[in-house]
Structure formats: structure tokens, C-alpha cells
């Protein structure tokens, strides 16, 4: 059974710092991995999608990497801003691809 | 492109009533997924549907919950005889094809409160 873990559960850093959020999954037979952002009381916004054959994806200040063999992904945020404060969710699509499994998220707070 | 539309945004029901949550997928998407997020918890898969078919309902409680995605109209998640423990945010996602080749797009959710 696929399990997705995100570390740390919460993170607070001063504005301007670069930071890394971690995601690990127990079954390497994934179809793809997607990072989302969720603001309090709101829905999910897709940030980056990495197919299983890819190693990384970049969008603006965000870079996501995928090491499928070791069951790990990282989300790198450069030059953090207070507007980046949110919960970041990692989700993997399993090989049967009938659903995606979410981690419990990292709650990020950027201090001005 | 209006994205995934869910309504209502907020729904209050008394214990024992029925709750109907609606989800219209993105234009051209024929795959719909429902997730539940309990307070201070992660998102849990409930059900995966294609038009007129339930593909995977392994996350759906066996009683009181049902889902459909008719040929015409939105997908409906129905909860009969709601209890306080059903209070949660219910999110719908859609994808262009199965396996989420192009990722999943989520709606803003319906927040159900059972009083």
C-alpha cells in the first residue's frame, strides 16, 4: 500500500531564504508526482507535475525533483516571499493510476 | 476555461438530512475524482468515476455514501443521513485522461458542516 510522507510538518523561515520541502513514498512504481499548494480554507493549486520518466520540473522560483528509485521528491523554493505561506502537498499517482495519494503536507510560514 | 466547479461552497445540514455535492469537471475532462479532507488531516481518496461508470470506489464508506457521473450534467456525491463525523471539506478533481497524464485539476471544494 502506497504511503506518502512529508517532512517537515511545519516550517517557518524569514523572507528571502531558499528552502527545501521533502516528500517520500514507499512504492516506487508511480505514474507521476504532483506538488500542490493549499491556502487556508481554499482549494488546491497545482504547482508542478513530474512524470515518472522525468527527473525535475521548474516553474519560476520553484523547482521539483524526483528520484523514483529511492522514493523521494523535493520542492525547492528560491528567494521565499510572505505570499509563499501556505500548506504544500505532495501527491503520487499510483501505477494503476486510478487515484492519487497525498502526503499530509508541510505548513510553510514565511516571516516578513 | 472555468476550471473545476464545485457547488455549493458551503453546506450546512442537520443530522439525519441528506447532502448533495456537485462537481462539474473542466471542459473536455471525462475523469472525476472525489476526495475528503477532515479537519487538520490530509486528503483521502474516495471515488474515481468516468462518465456513467464507477471505476474505483475503494475509499468510499460502504454505507450512506454514493457517487455518480451521469452522461449529462455534473458528478454528484450524495451523503444520506449525515452525522457530525461527515463534517469535512470535499474536493473534486478532474483529469483529461485516466492516469492523470496531464495532472489533476482540483475544485475549490464544498465545506460540509453537520449540526
Amino acid at each position: 500500500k502506497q504511503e506518502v510522507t512529508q517532512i517537515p510538518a511545519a516550517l517557518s523561515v524569514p523572507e528571502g531564504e531558499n528552502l527545501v520541502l521533502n516528500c517520500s513514498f514507499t512504492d516506487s512504481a508511480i505514474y507521476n508526482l504532483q506538488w500542490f499548494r493549499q491556502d487556508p480554507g481554499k482549494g488546491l493549486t497545482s504547482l508542478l507535475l513530474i512524470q515518472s520518466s522525468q527527473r525535475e520540473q521548474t516553474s519560476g522560483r520553484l523547482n521539483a525533483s524526483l528520484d523514483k528509485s529511492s522514493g523521494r521528491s523535493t520542492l525547492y523554493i528560491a528567494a521565499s516571499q510572505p505570499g509563499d505561506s501556505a500548506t504544500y502537498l505532495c501527491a503520487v499517482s499510483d501505477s494503476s493510476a486510478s487515484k492519487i495519494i497525498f502526503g499530509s503536507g508541510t505548513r510553510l510560514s514565511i516571516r516578513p | 476555461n472555468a476550471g473545476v466547479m464545485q457547488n455549493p461552497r458551503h453546506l450546512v445540514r442537520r443530522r439525519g438530512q441528506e447532502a448533495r455535492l456537485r462537481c462539474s469537471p473542466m471542459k473536455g475532462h471525462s475523469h472525476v475524482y472525489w476526495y475528503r479532507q477532515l479537519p487538520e488531516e490530509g486528503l483521502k481518496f474516495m471515488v474515481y468515476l468516468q462518465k456513467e461508470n464507477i471505476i474505483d470506489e475503494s475509499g468510499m464508506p460502504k454505507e450512506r455514501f454514493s457517487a455518480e457521473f451521469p452522461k449529462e450534467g455534473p458528478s454528484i456525491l450524495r451523503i444520506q443521513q449525515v452525522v457530525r463525523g461527515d463534517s469535512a471539506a470535499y474536493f473534486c478533481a478532474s483529469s483529461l485522461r485516466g492516469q492523470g497524464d496531464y495532472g489533476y485539476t482540483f475544485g475549490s471544494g464544498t465545506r460540509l458542516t453537520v449540526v
Side-chain angles (χ1 to χ4, degrees), chain A residues 60-80:
Chain A
R61 294 182 293 108
L62 305 180
N63 176 276
S65 68
L66 174 63
D67 184 343
K68 202 173 78 160
S69 61
S70 68
R72 296 178 187 275
S73 176
T74 62
L75 179 67
Y76 175 83
I77 303 177
S80 58

Side-chain angles (χ1 to χ4, degrees), chain B residues 13-26:
Chain B
R13 285 287 178 266
R14 297 186 185 279
R15 281 179 296 171
Q17 291 184 320
E18 178 179 285
R20 291 168 64 93
L21 288 62
R22 288 176 291 277
C23 169
S24 296
M26 283 187 68

Side-chain angles (χ1 to χ4, degrees), chain B:
Chain B
N1 191 337
V4 178
M5 304 300 293
Q6 290 189 248
N7 64 80
R9 292 291 301 274
H10 300 275
L11 182 62
V12 179
R13 285 287 178 266
R14 297 186 185 279
R15 281 179 296 171
Q17 291 184 320
E18 178 179 285
R20 291 168 64 93
L21 288 62
R22 288 176 291 277
C23 169
S24 296
M26 283 187 68
K27 187 175 181 180
H29 285 194
S30 59
H31 300 259
V32 166
Y33 312 79
W34 285 93
Y35 286 79
R36 176 165 66 174
Q37 187 175 37
L38 294 167
E40 303 301 320
E41 292 190 18
L43 283 95
K44 303 297 183 186
F45 168 79
M46 299 182 74
V47 62
Y48 162 37
L49 310 103
Q50 293 181 40
K51 284 285 188 182
E52 301 184 274
N53 289 301
I54 296 175
I55 307 303
D56 183 344
E57 57 181 348
S58 58
M60 192 93 95
K62 293 291 187 286
E63 298 179 349
R64 303 187 297 109
F65 286 72
S66 63
E68 63 178 8
F69 189 16
K71 186 176 181 181
E72 300 292 337
S75 175
I76 305 289
L77 179 66
R78 182 183 294 109
I79 311 172
Q80 296 177 306
Q81 300 174 338
V82 296
V83 301
R84 289 232 170 97
D86 297 332
S87 295
Y90 291 82
F91 291 96
C92 168
S94 72
S95 67
L96 180 62
R97 291 164 48 183
Q99 299 188 321
D101 286 4
Y102 303 98
Y104 300 80
T105 302
F106 278 79
S108 299
T110 292
R111 280 149 187 84
L112 172 66
T113 302
V114 179
V115 297

Side-chain angles (χ1 to χ4, degrees), chain A residues 22-91:
Chain A
N22 296 293
C23 172
S24 61
F25 44 94
T26 54
D27 185 350
S28 61
I30 63 169
Y31 195 78
N32 57 39
L33 183 146
Q34 197 164 359
W35 283 92
F36 294 90
R37 167 187 173 139
Q38 185 176 29
D39 292 282
K42 300 292 179 66
L44 279 71
T45 301
S46 178
L47 298 174
L48 290 163
L49 170 70
I50 310 177
Q51 302 295 347
S52 61
S53 59
Q54 297 176 321
R55 298 285 291 185
E56 66 177 347
Q57 284 286 338
T58 298
S59 175
R61 294 182 293 108
L62 305 180
N63 176 276
S65 68
L66 174 63
D67 184 343
K68 202 173 78 160
S69 61
S70 68
R72 296 178 187 275
S73 176
T74 62
L75 179 67
Y76 175 83
I77 303 177
S80 58
Q81 303 170 358
D84 295 331
S85 298
T87 296
Y88 289 79
L89 297 164
C90 166

Side-chain angles (χ1 to χ4, degrees), chain A residues 4-18:
Chain A
V4 182
T5 303
Q6 290 188 247
I7 294 173
L11 180 64
S12 179
V13 301
E15 180 178 3
E17 281 200 5
N18 304 324

